[in-house]
Amino acid sequence: MSIGLLASMHCKKDAEGAFDTELKKLVETSKKETGCLACELYQYKDEPTKYVIEEEWIDEEALSRHMETAHYKYFVHISPALLVNPADVKILTRLI
């Protein structure tokens, strides 16, 4: 079965433009990785500073490789300056 990642993020009000740009770059680059089955970005309709990324990877090894990429590490490095709180990241196992 595949493995999922669900990340919720709340960016600072004055960082919306930069955060939106960097997050979209991360998602677009991640979609091109070997083992990425899906990588979707959502924004709360009623709270535009809140985002959710939903990812699906072929297996845990593919997700681990993703977390070692330069684009992922770059985003993790810059995101604390743009976020209200650290991202809430959950790793999920597909059941069906």
Side-chain angles (χ1 to χ4, degrees):
M1 288 286 168
S2 62
I3 191 158
L5 181 145
L6 187 64
S8 299
M9 294 160 282
H10 183 186
C11 78
K12 295 176 181 174
K13 194 96 172 119
D14 62 343
E16 293 168 306
F19 186 73
D20 190 78
T21 298
E22 294 300 332
L23 192 53
K24 286 177 180 174
K25 281 196 284 190
L26 172 68
V27 169
E28 289 304 319
T29 306
S30 298
K31 285 181 177 184
K32 297 173 187 171
E33 289 181 52
T34 301
C36 180
L37 300 174
C39 188
E40 304 297 330
L41 174 61
Y42 299 93
Q43 184 177 39
Y44 283 40
K45 186 176 181 179
D46 57 345
E47 295 182 71
T49 58
K50 293 186 178 182
Y51 297 80
V52 173
I53 294 179
E54 182 180 14
E55 302 176 9
E56 185 176 8
W57 297 87
I58 196 161
D59 56 23
E60 214 166 324
E61 185 178 315
L63 177 58
S64 293
R65 281 193 311 269
H66 165 64
M67 291 179 168
E68 292 300 319
T69 62
H71 59 273
Y72 179 84
K73 287 182 175 184
Y74 174 76
F75 184 79
V76 169
H77 175 74
I78 65 160
S79 64
L82 304 172
L83 293 173
V84 173
N85 308 314
D88 180 25
V89 179
K90 304 292 185 206
I91 306 299
L92 312 166
T93 302
R94 179 179 287 279
L95 298 178
I96 315 177

